[in-house]
Amino acid sequence: MPDQSPQESRTPGSALRGPVAGSGEGLSRRTLLGTAGATGIVLGSAGGAIGYAAAPAPATPLTSIGSERAMFHGKHQSGITEALQARGHIAAFDLVAGAGRKEATTLLRRWSTTAERLMAGEAAAHDDTDVARDAGPSSLTITFGFGHSFFQRTGLEKQRPTALDPLPDFSSDHLDRARSDGDLWVQIGANDPLVAFHALRAVQKDAGGTAHLRWQMNGFNRTPGATARPMTARNLMGQIDGTGNPKPIDPDFDRRIFVPAPGEPAWMANGSYAVVRRIRMLLDDWEKLSPSAQEQVIGRRKDNGAPLSGGGEATPMDLQKTDSTGAYVVPLNAHARITRPDQSGGAAMLRRPFSYHDGFDADGTPDAGLLFICWQADPLRGFVPVQRKLDRGDALSTFIRHEASGLFAVPGGAAKGEYVGQRLLEG
């Protein structure tokens, strides 16, 4: 888990489902029932009010969490630079037998329409489940990508990027192939669990007879506003996780994270590559360590994320600092030392993960860890060199296990009137 936190950037929105009290459209059935419950009104068979009748309560505005909206159309797809959301789902789909480029085009059109509507806080165009009724956009993002196998299935092998070549094997891999890779990849994030699930269900229903679910995983992060001040996220090991992330204000951010125009291939201009890893944390073993021993493994203080060499969370790590015995204060195999870009040939990636907990094994061992998702312009210059260094002696490797993996080409954002992937599928 390389030691790199996306900047918080939210666009306020106010999309609501259904008429709002006082809008001049009258009370909807939902509003009436809600008012009845709030005031103690009970309707008899004749429709008369029995008990205490009161004037309708004023409509309660959405909280800031519910009203925040990410935009579907743009230079880049959403879900890359937005702040971490409280709930996430990731899923991979495989095209069904006989489905090809034509069917994939229809599916991406359908998915894009659904994503645009749901991210605006609207209902799906067809057969909406009402799961997210009454909620606003809640920072919902829906992101789409293509796996290595997609190009053969659609006859687009010549358009497959070399950067999408399969990742090398790593010594820490214990991969379940059934939960790895896939033709199509979808990432969903929102700050409300029902909004996130609603989007997942809509995407699955849209796939219909074109693609079937290969695997799906659920994750979470701390809810915005849960801490007294904005801060970098913590993972399930209790460590502040994401301190060294590149930031959109960095002058070389776009070059490191997004494929430049005109792109290679051209359809990937302004896109990015997502490496997805299900990393199980061996929490029973980890929690046997003392807090100071855990800090030695990571190379940072557990309370505030500061490097062991001193200062605060944002203080540059002094790799040469030694203690009274001459030993390095930040151990040579500390996770944070190994993952520093200047220790990996300048390799950098934008980490945007979700934690997960999928219950307990029969012996009570928690099946929990990190849905690691990182973004880079080229995984061969981002994720791969860092992971190779971790493979050669990361102190954290004793306490984690990589159980699933995927690499996906995520094209740039769709302009108004376009759908995601149009330049590939119609180019």
Side-chain angles (χ1 to χ4, degrees):
M1 298 177 293
D3 176 49
Q4 305 186 335
S5 102
Q7 295 295 293
E8 297 191 4
S9 58
R10 302 187 180 99
T11 304
S14 57
L16 290 167
R17 287 178 169 79
V20 177
S23 64
E25 296 181 22
L27 290 174
S28 67
R29 180 175 181 274
R30 183 173 70 253
T31 305
L32 178 59
L33 292 175
T35 303
T39 60
I41 294 176
V42 180
L43 300 180
S45 60
I50 302 173
Y52 294 100
T60 302
L62 288 172
T63 65
S64 59
I65 289 178
S67 65
E68 289 164 353
R69 175 182 175 185
M71 306 307 295
F72 174 75
H73 295 293
K75 184 177 180 180
H76 311 296
Q77 286 196 63
S78 65
I80 302 175
T81 59
E82 282 80 8
L84 293 173
Q85 294 125 313
R87 190 66 178 174
H89 303 291
I90 55 176
F93 293 80
D94 287 336
L95 295 173
V96 301
R101 182 173 178 177
K102 178 181 177 181
E103 291 77 15
T105 298
T106 300
L107 175 57
L108 266 297
R109 285 183 181 274
R110 191 159 58 236
W111 272 353
S112 295
T113 297
T114 294
E116 182 178 6
R117 292 180 64 91
L118 268 55
M119 287 172 58
E122 301 171 5
H126 303 286
D127 301 321
D128 190 85
T129 62
D130 284 341
V131 171
R133 182 183 286 269
D134 310 312
S138 301
S139 301
L140 174 66
T141 60
I142 307 177
T143 317
F144 304 105
F146 304 109
H148 186 273
S149 56
F150 175 83
F151 296 84
Q152 182 178 4
R153 301 293 304 277
T154 56
L156 291 167
E157 293 99 326
K158 292 183 178 179
Q159 292 298 319
R160 183 167 57 209
T162 56
L164 201 56
D165 287 349
L167 295 172
D169 294 330
F170 301 104
S171 63
S172 58
D173 286 353
H174 296 77
L175 303 182
D176 178 357
R177 296 298 177 185
R179 292 191 294 180
S180 300
D181 305 317
D183 293 344
L184 294 157
W185 178 68
V186 182
Q187 173 193 252
I188 294 167
N191 283 328
D192 178 77
L194 287 181
V195 169
F197 177 82
H198 179 244
L200 175 66
R201 186 71 179 118
V203 165
Q204 182 193 13
K205 290 175 66 177
D206 278 350
T210 303
H212 62 83
L213 190 67
R214 179 181 176 88
W215 55 259
Q216 190 265 313
M217 302 174 190
N218 308 312
F220 57 91
N221 284 304
R222 177 172 275 157
T223 301
T227 56
R229 57 179 176 80
M231 61 181 295
T232 310
R234 287 188 186 274
N235 60 35
L236 298 188
M237 288 178 161
Q239 300 291 149
I240 289 179
D241 189 352
T243 299
N245 252 348
K247 300 172 176 58
I249 60 173
D250 296 342
D252 60 351
F253 180 84
D254 280 4
R255 177 180 63 81
R256 290 173 177 265
I257 308 305
F258 296 109
V259 177
E264 181 55 49
W267 66 268
M268 272 298 290
N270 302 313
S272 188
Y273 291 91
V275 174
V276 182
R277 310 277 281 183
R278 185 183 191 270
I279 304 176
R280 184 164 179 166
M281 295 176 172
L282 308 181
L283 295 178
D284 285 347
D285 294 335
W286 174 255
E287 291 163 3
K288 291 175 183 176
L289 299 179
S290 67
S292 60
Q294 292 176 353
E295 291 177 341
Q296 290 290 305
V297 170
I298 301 299
R300 290 183 174 274
R301 288 178 52 177
K302 195 170 184 178
D303 59 350
N304 62 6
L308 297 184
S309 54
E313 182 185 354
T315 302
M317 184 176 290
D318 183 353
L319 300 182
Q320 303 306 315
K321 187 174 181 178
T322 58
D323 61 19
S324 59
T325 69
Y328 286 113
V329 173
V330 179
L332 289 174
N333 63 349
H335 184 75
R337 174 190 280 269
I338 294 174
T339 57
R340 277 175 47 128
D342 60 1
Q343 299 297 299
S344 303
M349 67 197 85
L350 177 64
R351 301 175 67 262
R352 197 175 184 277
F354 292 95
S355 293
Y356 78 87
H357 177 225
D358 290 340
F360 298 85
D361 292 344
D363 63 357
T365 302
D367 183 2
L370 198 69
L371 300 181
F372 175 88
I373 305 169
C374 71
W375 300 89
Q376 57 261 287
D378 183 350
L380 295 178
R381 291 184 292 179
F383 172 79
V384 171
V386 175
Q387 188 60 36
R388 278 179 171 155
K389 284 208 68 175
L390 292 172
D391 243 19
R392 293 196 292 266
D394 175 25
L396 186 60
S397 62
T398 304
F399 304 97
I400 61 175
R401 185 167 64 230
H402 292 242
E403 296 186 337
S405 178
L407 171 61
F408 302 95
V410 176
K416 197 71 176 176
E418 293 182 349
Y419 63 91
V420 174
Q422 182 168 334
R423 280 167 285 177
L424 167 64
L425 292 164
E426 298 186 16

